[in-house]
């Protein structure tokens, strides 16, 4: 299916859904001065075209005791497509890894890792991450406080 250019209504719909995906088509229609049928069709199209990739609940990490967040920079020995792909595949399987980005610069990857405490992080590092092949170094930074954490992209 071909992607269409987003019009102002599509953009407004994406802004609303990014902040509260529990809004019904009727509520969205009221806010956007459109019919619920129109909203239903637009949401369906936005999903079909990949603008909306999934709808999730954002959980308060403190309430589930994932209070230690590490940002880890990883440098690999080799940079072949196979090596990079294998690292990505393996690290994506670790439940502690919330995000993984291949980067430019001094390090190859940046990982966001969520654990309960330093001991759990240490076990993750020693028993999972550090045993992966081709790792030269892992440099981790721990979050002391969170000033802003946003999931909504500007549209």
């Amino acid at each position: 299916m071909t992607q269409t250019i987003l019009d102002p209504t599509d953009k407004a719909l994406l802004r609303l859904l990014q902040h509260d995906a529990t809004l019904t088509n009727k509520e969205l229609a009221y806010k956007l001065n459109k019919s619920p049928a129109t909203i239903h069709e637009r949401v369906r199209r936005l999903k079909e075209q990949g603008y909306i990739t999934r709808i999730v609940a954002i959980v308060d990490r403190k309430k589930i005791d994932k209070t230690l967040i590490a940002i880890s920079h990883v440098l690999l020995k080799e940079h072949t497509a196979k090596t990079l792909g294998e690292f990505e595949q393996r690290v994506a399987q670790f439940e502690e890894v919330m995000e993984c980005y291949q980067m430019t610069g001094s390090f190859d990857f940046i990982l966001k890792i969520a654990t309960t405490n330093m001991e759990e992080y240490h076990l993750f590092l020693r028993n999972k991450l550090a045993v992966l092949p081709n790792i030269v170094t892992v440099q981790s930074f721990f979050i002391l406080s969170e000033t802003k954490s946003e999931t909504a992209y500007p549209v």
Side-chain angles (χ1 to χ4, degrees):
M1 169 158 250
T2 60
Q3 280 189 303
T4 58
I5 295 173
L6 296 176
D7 67 16
T9 301
D10 290 330
K11 290 177 182 181
L13 188 54
L14 289 173
R15 280 191 297 274
L16 287 168
L17 288 172
Q18 283 188 96
H19 289 284
D20 186 358
T22 65
L23 292 170
T24 65
N25 286 339
K26 185 176 178 181
E27 291 168 324
L28 291 164
Y30 177 78
K31 289 177 181 280
L32 297 175
N33 199 26
K34 303 287 181 192
S35 73
T38 298
I39 295 301
H40 175 77
E41 179 57 30
R42 282 178 181 260
V43 170
R44 184 197 59 73
R45 181 176 45 79
L46 290 168
K47 286 178 180 178
E48 239 176 48
Q49 293 179 350
Y51 288 101
I52 298 172
T53 57
R54 60 188 170 145
I55 296 173
V56 300
I58 299 172
V59 175
D60 183 338
R61 66 182 174 82
K62 292 173 188 160
K63 291 190 186 255
I64 60 166
D65 200 23
K66 294 298 179 190
T67 54
L68 185 71
I69 304 297
I71 305 298
S72 296
H73 297 189
V74 180
L75 179 62
L76 301 181
K77 290 178 194 170
E78 299 175 24
H79 298 94
T80 64
K82 182 181 179 199
T83 301
L84 296 170
E86 286 174 357
F87 177 83
E88 288 173 326
Q89 271 188 322
R90 299 275 301 272
V91 82
Q93 294 174 6
F94 299 146
E95 70 177 20
E96 297 89 348
V97 176
M98 303 302 294
E99 299 173 33
C100 174
Y101 302 100
Q102 186 176 8
M103 305 298 293
T104 61
S106 302
F107 289 89
D108 299 310
F109 290 92
I110 293 182
L111 309 177
K112 179 179 178 184
I113 301 164
T115 60
T116 301
N117 54 37
M118 188 60 78
E119 181 180 352
E120 187 178 305
Y121 173 80
H122 182 243
L123 290 172
F124 164 77
L125 179 64
R126 186 179 68 196
N127 299 331
K128 292 182 177 180
L129 188 59
V131 298
L132 295 181
N134 295 309
I135 291 181
V136 173
T137 190
V138 176
Q139 186 175 28
S140 294
F141 305 87
F142 297 94
I143 305 297
L144 297 177
S145 68
E146 188 174 284
T147 303
K148 181 178 181 182
S149 178
E150 187 63 57
T151 60
Y153 291 100
V155 183

